[in-house]
Amino acid sequence: MSSDQIDGSAAEPFRFESEVAPGETRHLRYEVSETYLGDPVKIPVTVVNGEGSGPTVCMTAAIHGDELNGVKVLQEVADRYDPAEIHGTLVLIHVANVPGYLAQQRDIPIYDQDLNRSFPGKPKSNTAERMANVIYERFVAPSDYGLDFHTSTRNRTTMYHVRADMTNPEVNRISRAFGANLILSGEADPGSLRAVATTSGTPTITIEMGKAHRFQQPLIDRALAGTESVLAELDVLPGEAVDWPGWRRIIDSANDKTWLRSDEGGLVDLLYDHPLVYHGDPVCRVSDHFSTEETIVRAPFTGLLVGVLQNPVAAPGHPVAHLVSVGGETLAEIEREIESGEFSERPWA
Ligand SMILES: [Zn+2]
């Protein structure tokens, strides 16, 4: 199918709500900015408008330009669903931060602006806020729900999890339907798509999955299943939300998570072989280049290593691992899952 070229700065802006007919899928290239050469910067967007009426679900990937797993998720979602079987509308922003994507870096290369701290943006502001404003006004604000796909920042990796403000009932509903084992609850950073959309009437969750610069198919497959489950929960698709997971941990207190940091500069050897570590377990060794001095960083409580560094050098204060607590029945469930062999040994690999 060919794609339409749309000028987002036109006097009469394109509105997918009225211009993509029920039963129609359209692939758009939507102008959000210009390059130094004055050429348009266009984001690829797919709108799948179902034949039946229902909510509009906006999905975004590569707001950070080097976080690619979600790009693959949205390519598949755009191809997978026939508008004849859908009640509602899917708005898929395949690549939100096109300049960062072209450079394969997190931020917009122009003055290194973070698009995900620039929402809702303004028309008469810096480059990132202008781009954010077009994306927000045209696609996010008219939507009823949002799924925003991220990965860890480069040189780290993250266990598959959801970030969401679980005090918002609709956010809570789609977070549970998405089916990740781990949900980190809380308000998002000011200016992030999740924070602005959620407080402005488009309940939105962030999915964190794996590492930058890669397609990690096991994580992509889980995210596709999670997306389908959310669409079933919202009655966009027939069927039921999947009754997941074997265990679930919702972290809603800052006391239940911490970054483990190196106190010395040196070389880092990760010592764990599993994301579950017990109180006092060695997590990593930091040594000097002569192997004359070394210190061990230990887990201050029993929990899961949700994020770990990939670039194995550290300066004092350098975060080496992100630990979230688990205890009680959840710990017992995870231990049972590990014993049964069903727990992914390196879910952030
Ligand atoms: Zn990100």
Side-chain angles (χ1 to χ4, degrees):
M1 189 182 297
S2 65
S3 58
D4 301 327
Q5 311 285 324
I6 309 278
D7 179 359
S9 61
E12 279 300 317
F14 173 88
R15 298 195 180 279
F16 73 83
E17 313 94 290
S18 54
E19 296 188 44
V20 181
E24 185 185 13
T25 293
R26 277 178 78 178
H27 301 300
L28 317 169
R29 295 179 190 275
Y30 197 90
E31 183 178 337
V32 295
S33 188
E34 292 183 3
T35 70
Y36 295 139
L37 298 171
D39 295 325
V41 171
K42 296 174 179 174
I43 57 170
V45 182
T46 299
V47 178
V48 184
N49 192 356
E51 256 174 36
S53 59
T56 297
V57 183
C58 182
M59 304 181 207
T60 39
I63 281 185
H64 292 134
D66 59 356
E67 301 181 5
L68 305 183
N69 277 325
V71 173
K72 197 69 181 163
V73 172
L74 293 202
Q75 182 195 38
E76 175 64 26
V77 170
D79 193 46
R80 182 176 280 198
Y81 301 111
D82 181 345
E85 61 186 15
I86 285 184
H87 286 75
T89 304
L90 309 181
V91 177
L92 312 172
I93 300 178
H94 296 267
V95 176
N97 175 1
V98 167
Y101 186 69
L102 293 177
Q104 284 298 290
Q105 70 177 50
R106 174 186 171 93
D107 294 331
I108 295 171
I110 306 162
Y111 305 118
D112 290 329
Q113 294 161 353
D114 188 339
L115 184 60
N116 207 31
R117 300 291 180 276
S118 305
F119 289 96
K122 289 193 286 283
K124 297 290 180 192
S125 186
N126 66 35
T127 307
E129 291 204 0
R130 290 179 189 220
M131 283 177 52
N133 190 245
V134 175
I135 293 168
Y136 190 77
E137 293 297 332
R138 297 285 173 264
F139 298 103
V140 180
S143 298
D144 299 301
Y145 297 92
L147 305 177
D148 185 24
F149 293 90
H150 288 254
T151 71
S152 187
T153 196
R154 71 192 169 89
N155 295 331
R156 287 192 219 142
T157 184
T158 190
M159 191 172 157
Y160 182 88
H161 70 277
V162 161
R163 296 186 179 203
D165 182 356
M166 296 293 275
T167 63
N168 177 307
E170 286 300 293
V171 167
N172 191 307
R173 180 181 171 208
I174 58 174
S175 295
R176 289 173 184 276
F178 197 83
N181 294 110
L182 182 67
I183 299 171
L184 299 189
S185 178
E187 291 176 10
D189 292 304
S192 67
L193 177 63
R194 171 162 81 84
V196 173
T198 297
T199 54
S200 306
T202 307
T204 296
I205 68 172
T206 301
I207 300 95
E208 296 281 354
M209 45 193 294
K211 60 184 88 171
H213 294 144
R214 294 286 181 275
F215 290 147
Q216 296 171 278
Q217 198 60 45
L219 303 182
I220 292 163
D221 289 343
R222 286 183 70 179
L224 286 166
T227 299
E228 189 150 308
S229 179
V230 168
L231 295 178
E233 169 67 24
L234 298 174
D235 293 325
V236 174
L237 291 175
E240 302 282 317
V242 179
D243 186 19
W244 279 324
W247 57 274
R248 175 176 278 140
R249 175 80 169 115
I250 299 172
I251 301 284
D252 53 16
S253 159
N255 296 332
D256 286 335
K257 58 187 184 211
T258 189
W259 277 98
L260 309 186
R261 293 177 190 275
S262 173
D263 289 328
E264 283 82 28
L267 311 182
V268 181
D269 288 305
L270 296 171
L271 301 175
Y272 55 83
D273 57 5
H274 211 283
L276 180 64
V277 294
Y278 293 89
H279 180 229
D281 275 358
V283 173
C284 70
R285 176 195 306 119
V286 184
S287 56
D288 67 3
H289 289 76
F290 314 117
S291 301
T292 54
E293 287 181 31
E294 65 173 42
T295 52
I296 303 291
V297 178
R298 293 182 184 277
F301 48 76
T302 297
L304 290 166
L305 296 167
V306 168
V308 292
L309 93 170
Q310 297 260 287
N311 189 4
V313 288
H318 199 109
V320 293
H322 192 197
L323 180 67
V324 303
S325 75
V326 289
E329 182 53 28
T330 307
L331 177 60
E333 285 169 353
I334 294 172
E335 287 171 331
R336 272 199 295 278
E337 202 169 296
I338 290 169
E339 244 165 65
S340 73
E342 284 177 23
F343 192 87
S344 170
E345 277 194 14
R346 298 181 76 85
W348 12 244

